[in-house]
Amino acid sequence: MATRLQFENSCEVGVFSKLTNAYCLVAIGGSENFYSTFEAELADVIPVVKTAIGGTRIIGRLCAGNKNGLLLPHTTTDQELQHLRNSLPDSVVVQRIDERLSALGNCIACNDHVALTHTDLDRETEEMIADVLGVEVFRQTIAGNILVGSYCAFSNRGGLVHPHTSIEDLDELSTLLQVPLVAGTVNRGSEVIAAGLTVNDWTAFCGSDTTATELSVIESVFKLREAQPSAIVDEMRKSLIDSYV
Amino acid sequence: MAQEAGMFTVNQTIGSVLCCKCGILMQPNPANMCTKCLRSEVDITEGLQKHVVIVHCPECDSYLQPPRTWIKAQLESKELLTFCVKRLKNLNKVRLVHAEFIWTEPHSKRIKVKLTVQKEVLNRAILEQSYVVEYVVHEQMCESCTRVQANPDQWVAAVQLRQHVSHRRTFFYLEQLILKHDAAARCIRIKQMDQGIDFFFSNRSHAVKFVEFLGKVAPVRYRNDKQLVSHDPKSNNYNYKYTFSVEICPICREDLICLPPKVAVSLGNLGPLVICTKISNSIALMDPFTLRHCFLDADQYWRASFKSLLSSRQLVEYIVLDVEPVSSEVVVGGSRYVLADAQVARVSDFGKNDTIFSVRTHLGHLLSPGDNALGYDLYAANSNDIELDKYKGLVLPEVVLIKKSYEEKRQKKRGKPRAWKLKSLDMEVDNTAKGRDHEEKVNSEYEQFLRDLEENPELRFNMSLYRNKEYQPSEMASVTDGEEVPSVPLEELLADLELSDVEVDDDGMME
């Protein structure tokens, strides 16, 4: 089910939160509304953790993770690192990496099996990603943009990419990721998908400006309508769906 | 290009996305909304004028551009479109792409213009939208039409052109020049007066332009004056009537002149008797006995003005008995002359008595024995000139020949129409006081002028001659002996522009 919400009057919820199949991170806001919306959805299933990274609230764009691990930039303080290690389940490996491109959320997009990264990422970082997150890493661009983490959002069941992505690119990415992909928008025509939307296998949260059309597209491609938290089955799909009329 | 460099590039087809508002399939654009949704969101014509009032003068079909200019424009014309678009304020906020008229009834007093504008909205998406502006037309007479309505004969500036000679040759010539250069286009009225013509204008600057034109074609001097008609003490507006008095110098072509001693000396001791060969804006004088020539500017002339001794009215016909060239051919001021000694006798004397004159003449290249020539009879003339008396010991020649005469040959052609004709200005002529003699005189002068034109190609240079459609070439044309009467060759004639359905008779043949 897709939920619409706002973080302190901003519709860019993907900037202030990070949602995976094993945990959820939220930023510390002025009021508790943001946190309580997440909790209402996810409380009994996965832990919802309030945190800051490097003293900032833009945690969604600074870290990258899936059910196997979480990668943090070098700006994370020791206290925040410790807090996260304590709060997250033991199966999740929390690792701080030294990378020149420190906005890992903008540079890495991943689900539990595959990750797409910025083309200029270090060799060592790539190895770290493969190691910690347990994924296969591909360097890619999306519609000519190198910040793959911002312009696409995908889960194990489907993905949404920048609206200007050509059909050939969509084919290629879908083959790589092994999930169905759709080009679309979020937050009333905004092209920065991952900033407006955060998603896992059974639920999604998007900005309150998202129109009904966009919401229906999201729910279709991520298969949220019939999904239940416990009934997640890995399915390999190769077919490309590109219209929902 | 990458492809030319041999690299393999993938063909990129842009996929389609759903419009974020209405969900229809569309190409992605910077706003990611279909045009209908975008238009419903944003109206770029907000704040632009949709109703404007314009003022129109029904008499002269012009539109007011405040504060004072009136622009003449037809309905649905380019000028009107430019004017209408200029009257819109705030149009600089958007980019105008296209403008056109929507048809309205001519008497509805409404003009509708459809404008297409472009503006950048939202996420760098450029939106294009058309809208209609309605102009309400108010009728109001412009100031010049009001003035004309109040008093149609009203003129503001007048040019009084005068030449104090007894013939009207100059004015015939000037009339053709004015027609050719269209100098009297802004004239309200033209009136023929004794010894001159009056031109009336509605604007002082038109009169000034006309006076300058006259200054370029004839040696003139002028003065101007103004007369107060009315004055508005509150806003200090003064309305005047301006008058320009223009006088043309009384020297004409083919005149015999005796130069005053001072002028003769200043021109390098040019023999006191000279002939005037050409008048344009300067006077060309030539000494017929030494073939020396000089030019007098209008300024120079008016500083020390002189009159002619004898003018073309007093030409007498002579028969040439013998010609002996004295010098070789000389080109003087563009024309050829040969100094020769000639024996001539007056036609009136010929056969009756033996009065023969031996004279030196400059027409050696034209004359041969048996020809007729026209010249001034100084032997029989009684000159009452002050200047002549100043020269003590001056020996006057008996005859000064001026030009060759084609009178006999013209006798044969009398009454036959010419192949060409001239246009004339629309003049008011005051005929009441003159009488039949005057009319005959004027007609014969005009005929003389036309003959002058035929004989002198350089006179024709400045005017437009038109083909006479009624002219039929005679069958006897080919039978002539020796010389023919000079006439205007066909190449110089212009086809008269007649906007009618009549077929033009294409048979003008050179005689």
Side-chain angles (χ1 to χ4, degrees):
Chain A
M1 278 298 98
T3 318
R4 283 191 265 212
L5 74 165
Q6 276 188 323
F7 177 80
E8 287 186 358
N9 215 26
S10 162
C11 298
E12 312 289 345
V13 292
V15 173
F16 301 102
S17 63
K18 184 114 217 137
L19 180 62
T20 67
N21 286 331
Y23 55 88
C24 176
L25 304 176
V26 293
I28 304 171
S31 73
E32 289 291 319
N33 286 339
F34 195 60
Y35 176 71
S36 46
T37 320
F38 275 93
E39 261 216 276
E41 270 297 309
L42 307 165
D44 10 345
V45 193
I46 53 174
V48 182
V49 181
K50 268 204 274 195
T51 181
I53 296 183
T56 67
R57 303 191 292 179
I58 50 171
I59 58 174
R61 300 294 94 218
L62 290 180
C63 66
N66 60 9
K67 74 173 193 308
N68 301 322
L70 175 66
L71 292 170
L72 297 168
H74 62 88
T75 53
T76 320
T77 62
D78 294 335
Q79 283 153 319
E80 290 156 357
L81 188 57
Q82 197 55 44
H83 170 66
L84 279 168
R85 281 224 176 96
N86 293 342
S87 325
L88 294 180
D90 295 331
S91 57
V92 178
V93 180
V94 178
Q95 179 76 2
R96 181 166 59 184
I97 56 176
D98 228 342
E99 161 64 55
R100 179 182 66 98
L101 306 169
S102 56
L104 300 175
N106 284 337
C107 298
I108 305 166
C110 61
N111 63 6
D112 293 336
H113 309 283
V114 185
L116 295 178
T117 62
H118 191 292
T119 48
D120 296 341
L121 224 53
D122 286 347
R123 216 108 270 279
E124 296 148 15
T125 314
E126 196 181 320
E127 284 163 15
M128 277 289 212
I129 298 171
D131 216 13
V132 172
L133 300 181
V135 290
E136 223 183 308
V137 180
F138 297 106
R139 289 170 192 257
Q140 270 293 332
T141 63
I142 303 219
N145 292 312
I146 44 177
L147 292 177
V148 289
S150 315
Y151 289 103
C152 79
F154 59 96
S155 71
N156 295 323
R157 325 213 47 219
L160 187 63
V161 294
H162 188 288
H164 287 177
T165 315
S166 64
I167 301 198
E168 292 80 13
D169 272 357
L170 270 182
D171 278 343
E172 189 188 335
L173 285 169
S174 181
T175 323
L176 279 179
L177 302 176
Q178 296 291 311
V179 294
L181 291 177
V182 133
T185 64
V186 80
N187 275 344
R188 216 165 220 285
S190 165
E191 296 154 347
V192 194
I193 310 294
L197 164 73
T198 178
V199 64
N200 72 2
D201 286 347
W202 67 87
T203 186
F205 295 90
C206 32
S208 56
D209 271 353
T210 314
T211 61
T213 318
E214 290 167 338
L215 211 57
S216 73
V217 169
I218 290 168
E219 289 191 348
S220 308
V221 76
F222 290 111
K223 303 206 186 35
L224 302 174
R225 291 212 179 97
E226 27 356 88
Q228 293 302 310
S230 50
I232 298 168
V233 176
D234 268 354
E235 281 170 35
M236 298 294 219
R237 262 183 239 234
K238 259 199 179 185
S239 56
L240 173 66
I241 306 159
D242 63 351
S243 80
Y244 284 92
V245 183
Chain B
M1 288 288 290
Q3 265 166 343
E4 284 160 11
M7 274 174 58
F8 169 71
T9 47
V10 186
N11 196 16
Q12 308 276 26
T13 353
I14 305 288
S16 26
V17 281
L18 300 185
C19 163
C20 66
K21 270 189 87 172
C22 57
I24 66 170
L25 220 53
M26 57 163 222
Q27 294 274 315
N29 66 37
N32 289 317
M33 281 198 252
C34 63
T35 35
K36 289 207 185 95
C37 294
L38 201 52
R39 236 173 243 160
S40 65
E41 289 272 310
V42 185
D43 179 18
I44 55 177
T45 64
E46 198 181 357
L48 298 176
Q49 273 181 311
K50 305 264 170 54
H51 273 99
V52 188
V53 172
I54 56 179
V55 180
H56 171 243
C57 170
E59 300 287 321
C60 53
D61 205 14
S62 46
Y63 295 85
L64 175 66
Q65 184 148 21
R68 270 185 196 224
T69 357
W70 289 83
I71 299 188
K72 206 161 156 67
Q74 300 274 350
L75 270 185
E76 310 233 338
S77 65
K78 224 169 24 140
E79 295 91 35
L80 189 58
L81 193 60
T82 330
F83 169 75
C84 288
V85 170
K86 268 204 204 130
R87 297 288 292 133
L88 292 174
K89 304 179 207 162
N90 288 343
L91 213 51
N92 50 358
K93 297 210 175 80
V94 295
R95 203 176 120 220
L96 183 64
V97 170
H98 184 62
E100 63 182 4
F101 280 112
I102 296 181
W103 186 82
T104 48
E105 290 274 349
H107 59 79
S108 64
K109 310 234 186 292
R110 301 277 185 277
I111 299 179
K112 287 201 180 134
V113 177
K114 183 160 149 190
L115 297 166
T116 314
V117 291
Q118 278 183 355
K119 192 171 173 184
E120 194 181 294
V121 292
L122 291 185
N123 253 338
R124 289 171 296 119
I126 298 184
L127 192 60
E128 186 177 291
Q129 194 173 338
S130 309
Y131 69 108
V132 175
V133 182
E134 188 174 321
Y135 295 86
V136 178
V137 179
H138 285 170
E139 305 279 348
Q140 181 186 330
M141 277 221 284
C142 61
E143 297 110 36
S144 41
C145 289
T146 353
R147 233 177 272 137
V148 167
Q149 278 265 341
N151 183 2
D153 282 337
Q154 180 90 305
W155 53 268
V156 173
V159 175
Q160 294 170 327
L161 185 63
R162 300 282 180 270
Q163 189 187 30
H164 299 294
V165 283
S166 53
H167 58 82
R168 292 194 71 95
R169 266 170 44 196
T170 322
F171 294 109
F172 293 140
Y173 177 63
L174 269 181
E175 185 184 351
Q176 296 305 316
L177 268 188
I178 291 173
L179 277 171
K180 169 109 184 184
H181 290 100
D182 224 5
R186 307 289 203 110
C187 221
I188 316 178
R189 221 163 41 111
I190 305 177
K191 195 161 166 206
Q192 202 177 56
M193 306 287 277
D194 175 39
Q195 291 203 331
I197 310 180
D198 278 355
F199 298 84
F200 297 98
F201 298 90
S202 60
N203 201 323
R204 183 178 180 266
S205 48
H206 301 156
V208 168
K209 191 167 173 200
F210 186 70
V211 169
E212 280 180 10
F213 166 75
L214 288 175
K216 285 200 195 87
V217 299
V220 296
R221 69 173 169 186
Y222 67 93
R223 48 172 291 169
N224 58 346
D225 290 297
K226 59 186 188 211
Q227 176 190 12
L228 185 66
V229 171
S230 68
H231 111 266
D232 178 358
K234 295 222 171 64
S235 50
N236 277 345
N237 280 339
Y238 297 86
N239 288 335
Y240 292 100
K241 271 189 193 294
Y242 303 91
T243 318
F244 295 82
S245 176
V246 181
E247 189 188 334
I248 309 182
C249 82
I251 310 283
C252 300
R253 265 182 65 241
E254 299 165 1
D255 276 0
L256 186 67
I257 305 162
C258 181
L259 292 174
K262 281 215 178 96
V263 178
V265 161
S266 74
L267 292 174
N269 263 334
L270 201 56
L273 282 177
V274 289
I275 304 177
C276 172
T277 47
K278 188 167 165 185
I279 302 265
S280 62
N281 59 337
S282 58
I283 308 169
L285 299 170
M286 190 180 76
D287 185 345
F289 309 117
T290 57
L291 288 187
R292 277 177 57 196
H293 71 288
C294 72
F295 289 93
L296 265 187
D297 223 355
D299 283 338
Q300 279 176 298
Y301 171 78
W302 288 110
R303 242 177 271 147
S305 63
F306 46 85
K307 284 218 167 79
S308 54
L309 192 59
L310 291 170
S311 79
S312 52
R313 278 262 182 82
Q314 283 115 4
L315 282 173
V316 172
E317 200 161 338
Y318 289 86
I319 284 196
V320 176
L321 300 168
D322 190 22
V323 177
E324 256 180 56
V326 165
S327 83
S328 56
E329 197 169 278
V330 169
V331 176
V332 171
S335 327
R336 290 201 194 96
Y337 297 107
V338 172
L339 209 53
D341 276 330
Q343 302 238 348
V344 297
R346 280 183 286 207
V347 162
S348 53
D349 282 343
F350 195 58
K352 290 187 198 132
N353 53 30
D354 277 330
T355 325
I356 296 182
F357 303 103
S358 298
V359 288
R360 177 157 282 198
T361 171
H362 59 288
L363 297 173
H365 60 299
L366 272 183
L367 298 174
S368 44
D371 276 346
N372 283 27
L374 290 168
Y376 293 112
D377 191 4
L378 288 170
Y379 176 72
N382 189 2
S383 342
N384 201 4
D385 206 53
I386 313 174
E387 312 293 345
L388 214 46
D389 297 336
K390 286 195 188 146
Y391 288 97
K392 301 188 177 69
L394 173 68
V395 173
L396 286 178
E398 289 144 347
V399 181
V400 179
L401 293 174
I402 298 292
K403 60 181 180 182
K404 184 167 163 179
S405 157
Y406 298 96
E407 191 59 41
E408 272 191 22
K409 298 181 185 84
R410 290 208 186 272
Q411 295 276 357
K412 291 183 203 148
K413 279 194 65 200
R414 178 163 285 183
K416 296 214 183 90
R418 294 189 161 83
W420 50 276
K421 61 179 176 149
L422 294 170
K423 287 195 173 162
S424 61
L425 273 179
D426 199 9
M427 279 197 249
E428 284 173 23
V429 183
D430 187 17
N431 270 328
T432 52
K434 298 300 170 52
R436 203 159 39 100
D437 284 346
H438 178 81
E439 231 181 271
E440 278 179 18
K441 201 168 73 152
V442 166
N443 283 342
S444 67
E445 273 183 6
Y446 193 66
E447 178 65 31
Q448 187 62 38
F449 170 66
L450 292 178
R451 281 190 204 155
D452 258 346
L453 278 188
E454 280 184 345
E455 290 167 18
N456 288 303
E458 48 181 58
L459 255 192
R460 293 201 291 266
F461 178 66
N462 263 335
M463 37 181 102
S464 316
L465 297 115
Y466 296 93
R467 266 223 330 246
N468 187 358
K469 295 203 181 61
E470 282 103 45
Y471 172 71
Q472 303 288 340
S474 59
E475 298 90 40
M476 304 278 284
S478 52
V479 183
T480 39
D481 49 332
E483 268 179 77
E484 299 177 0
V485 177
S487 62
V488 181
L490 191 61
E491 299 90 57
E492 286 189 26
L493 301 183
L494 300 174
D496 200 358
L497 181 66
E498 262 188 43
L499 301 169
S500 64
D501 298 322
V502 176
E503 293 281 319
V504 172
D505 204 9
D506 199 11
D507 69 333
M509 275 168 50
M510 197 164 102
E511 216 200 358

